[in-house]
């Protein structure tokens, strides 16, 4: 129940023990096709250019940024969380000139500020974080942000690491040019093969770059040879991770993406509302609540690290502390994929109450447990 990785579904673990075939074996090529189709379903896109990048979420992130940003281009990034900062570092390494659109940690970007930043800097590329794992904030108004960028002929990159497969995300309808993610959050799959999708407009830019992308490994014009029609060797794909991702995505399709979003909302709302009733406030405004990552304020006088340690020692349960501007201020409680289950929440809420009381926190466990019972049945 931390910020990821989440619990891996037993079917995914089983898929990982499938014997290996070669990365160009006809049966593996069929699996590649299936993974691409299932990724399109999960991203809600028809983008031909939809692939799992070999590596963790940072690899799909760097593939998006390192291919779309050309040296000397202006890149607009947010300052409202840890992963906006990582976008900045990657854009700089790609040779971009970074400019900022500001918002405090714990708040989303305001479209008016994005509009003002476009008027001031005329960026070529705009990156934003749809689900900021460091703050538990969901960026609303995505279509508004993408339309501002497109009015200025810019390209939009969305970080969807903590939203894909758990929180409403519609790449085509929201007009996102490039979106990347990781498998270890709401897809409940081990890290190692990370989803990426680019529309034709973005891919045209990538394929007409004046100089090649700085990373050979993540150069999408070369990866096209492997994931496109040709199916020619570029690197040896992490076969086992691709098996795992296929199984995780099949689980998404079997459940239905919209029902999966609804499950995350229902189970995480039970968690958030019972903790609120107990006396812990949700840190972001309700309007920006991110069901997959619940940022609850640390009650006065409580040592947040000691609470996490207590839960790990006594209950084998992981939650995380805050970081950056929110260090010491929040608990980060994940509710992702296979971990977004009533059984996990009914274990966590009383355990957290016990850990907080051990710290002398002034909370009302019974009020929390009563909300939990109303929402999820017997505790
Ligand atoms: C929002 C966000 N972006 C990017 C990443 C980087 O992914 P990884 O750690 O898998 O490289 C993470 C990881 O937690 C994340 O939460």
């Amino acid at each position: 129940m931390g910020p990821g990785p989440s619990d891996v579904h037993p079917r995914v673990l089983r898929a990982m023990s499938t014997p290996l075939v070669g990365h160009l074996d006809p049966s593996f090529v069929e699996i590649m096709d299936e993974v691409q189709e299932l990724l399109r379903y999960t991203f809600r896109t028809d983008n031909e250019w939809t692939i799992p990048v070999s590596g963790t979420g940072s690899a799909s992130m760097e593939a998006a940024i390192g291919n779309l940003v050309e040296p000397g281009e202006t890149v607009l990034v947010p300052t409202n969380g840890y992963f906006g900062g990582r976008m900045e570092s990657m854009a700089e390494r790609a040779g971009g000139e970074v400019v900022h659109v500001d918002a405090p940690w714990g708040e989303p970007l305001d479209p008016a500020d994005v509009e003002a930043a476009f008027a001031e800097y005329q960026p070529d590329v705009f990156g934003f974080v749809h689900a900021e794992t460091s703050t538990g904030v969901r960026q609303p108004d995505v279509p508004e942000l993408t339309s501002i960028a497109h009015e200025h002929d810019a390209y939009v990159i969305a970080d969807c690491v903590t939203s894909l497969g758990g929180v409403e995300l519609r790449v085509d309808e929201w007009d996102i040019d490039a979106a990347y993610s990781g498998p270890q959050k709401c897809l409940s799959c081990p890290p190692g093969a990370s989803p990426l999708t680019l529309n034709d407009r973005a891919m045209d830019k990538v394929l007409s770059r004046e100089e090649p992308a700085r990373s050979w490994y993540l150069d999408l014009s070369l990866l096209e040879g492997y994931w496109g029609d040709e199916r020619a060797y570029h690197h040896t794909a992490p076969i086992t991770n691709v098996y795992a991702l296929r199984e995780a995505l099949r689980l998404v399709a079997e459940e239905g993406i919209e029902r999966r979003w609804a499950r995350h909302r229902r189970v995480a709302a039970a968690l958030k509302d019972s903790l609120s009733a107990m006396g812990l406030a949700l840190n972001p405004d309700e309007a920006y609540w991110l069901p997959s990552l619940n940022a609850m304020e640390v009650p006065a006088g409580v040592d947040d690290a000691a609470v996490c340690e207590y839960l790990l020692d006594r209950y084998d349960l992981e939650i995380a502390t805050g970081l950056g501007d929110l260090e010491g201020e929040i608990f980060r409680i994940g509710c992702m994929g296979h971990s977004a289950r009533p059984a996990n929440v009914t274990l966590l809420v009383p355990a957290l109450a016990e850990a907080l009381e051990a710290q002398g926190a002034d909370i009302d466990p019974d009020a929390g447990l009563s909300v939990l019972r109303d929402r999820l049945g017997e505790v």
Side-chain angles (χ1 to χ4, degrees):
M1 303 295 278
S6 58
D7 275 346
V8 175
H9 194 285
R11 262 176 55 186
V12 174
L13 290 175
R14 211 156 42 232
M16 294 185 78
S17 63
T18 308
L20 259 67
V21 292
H23 55 285
L24 291 171
D25 187 284
S27 65
F28 191 69
V29 170
E30 273 177 33
I31 291 174
M32 291 166 72
D33 287 339
E34 206 181 320
V35 166
Q36 288 184 279
E37 202 43 49
L38 287 163
L39 277 177
R40 289 185 192 104
Y41 170 75
T42 307
F43 270 123
R44 314 309 296 131
T45 185
D46 291 329
N47 288 342
E48 189 188 340
W49 255 92
T50 306
I51 64 168
V53 176
S54 303
T56 70
S58 300
S60 58
M61 180 176 189
E62 196 142 32
I65 295 171
N67 281 275
L68 267 175
V69 175
E70 294 189 63
E73 287 189 338
T74 304
V75 187
L76 180 65
V77 299
T79 58
N80 59 344
Y82 181 86
F83 290 101
R86 186 170 295 184
M87 277 187 160
E88 169 163 2
S89 306
M90 290 183 178
E92 277 171 352
R93 283 172 189 239
E97 307 284 335
V98 171
V99 291
H100 298 114
V101 48
D102 294 319
W105 282 50
E107 287 183 29
L109 296 180
D110 183 334
D113 294 334
V114 173
E115 180 74 68
F118 265 94
E120 186 174 353
Y121 305 117
Q122 295 295 330
D124 303 286
V125 178
F126 165 51
F128 75 93
V129 181
H130 179 228
E132 190 30 278
T133 325
S134 62
T135 62
V137 169
R138 184 181 49 81
Q139 177 65 50
D141 312 314
V142 175
E144 209 177 325
L145 301 186
T146 56
S147 88
I148 294 167
H150 292 144
E151 275 160 25
H152 292 264
D153 285 332
Y155 293 81
V156 178
I157 302 177
D159 181 320
C160 304
V161 171
T162 293
S163 54
L164 182 72
V167 177
E168 183 180 13
L169 167 68
R170 300 178 188 274
V171 167
D172 285 1
E173 201 178 312
W174 295 354
D175 219 2
I176 296 168
D177 297 301
Y180 60 82
S181 189
Q184 76 272 25
K185 311 274 186 179
C186 301
L187 298 178
S188 275
C189 182
S194 298
L196 172 69
T197 187
L198 288 90
N199 62 18
D200 287 346
R201 179 171 174 263
M203 208 50 200
D204 286 348
K205 181 176 196 294
V206 171
L207 295 177
S208 55
R209 286 176 63 100
E210 276 181 23
E211 59 177 81
R214 290 184 176 179
S215 163
W216 177 89
Y217 188 60
L218 298 173
D219 183 340
L220 292 174
S221 71
L222 301 179
L223 283 170
E224 192 194 18
Y226 184 50
W227 285 100
D229 293 337
E230 211 182 329
R231 302 290 187 200
Y233 169 73
H234 173 265
H235 66 271
T236 309
I239 312 288
T240 304
N241 291 85
V242 177
Y243 291 159
L245 186 59
R246 176 175 67 156
E247 199 61 22
L249 292 168
R250 279 171 161 173
L251 284 160
V252 174
E254 282 169 25
E255 183 173 5
I257 188 71
E258 306 226 358
R259 284 183 58 198
R260 194 172 170 100
W261 295 337
R263 168 170 61 87
H264 279 76
R265 272 199 313 276
R266 181 172 52 85
V267 175
L271 167 71
K272 159 185 73 86
D273 294 342
S274 36
L275 293 180
S276 299
M278 202 182 279
L280 274 69
L282 178 69
N283 183 258
D285 191 285
E286 276 281 344
Y288 321 128
W289 167 55
L290 177 61
S292 50
L293 198 288
N294 299 271
M296 307 304 298
E297 289 177 7
V298 177
V302 166
D303 175 346
D304 54 338
V307 169
C308 294
E309 231 177 271
Y310 185 104
L311 290 175
L312 201 54
D313 285 352
R314 309 242 176 151
Y315 290 94
D316 207 14
L317 237 173
E318 181 203 4
I319 66 167
T321 55
L323 46 103
D325 288 6
L326 293 175
E327 192 177 342
E329 307 282 321
I330 57 170
F331 292 115
R332 293 182 301 141
I333 307 175
C335 203
M336 304 174 178
H338 188 52
S339 301
R341 271 177 297 153
N344 282 30
V345 173
T346 49
L347 171 66
L348 174 72
V349 173
L352 181 55
E354 186 187 303
L356 289 167
E357 286 198 309
Q359 285 280 310
D362 181 19
I363 54 162
D364 184 351
D366 289 342
L369 294 180
S370 141
V371 170
L372 191 61
R373 237 175 264 118
D374 282 353
R375 298 293 183 83
L376 298 179
E378 270 321 296
V379 178

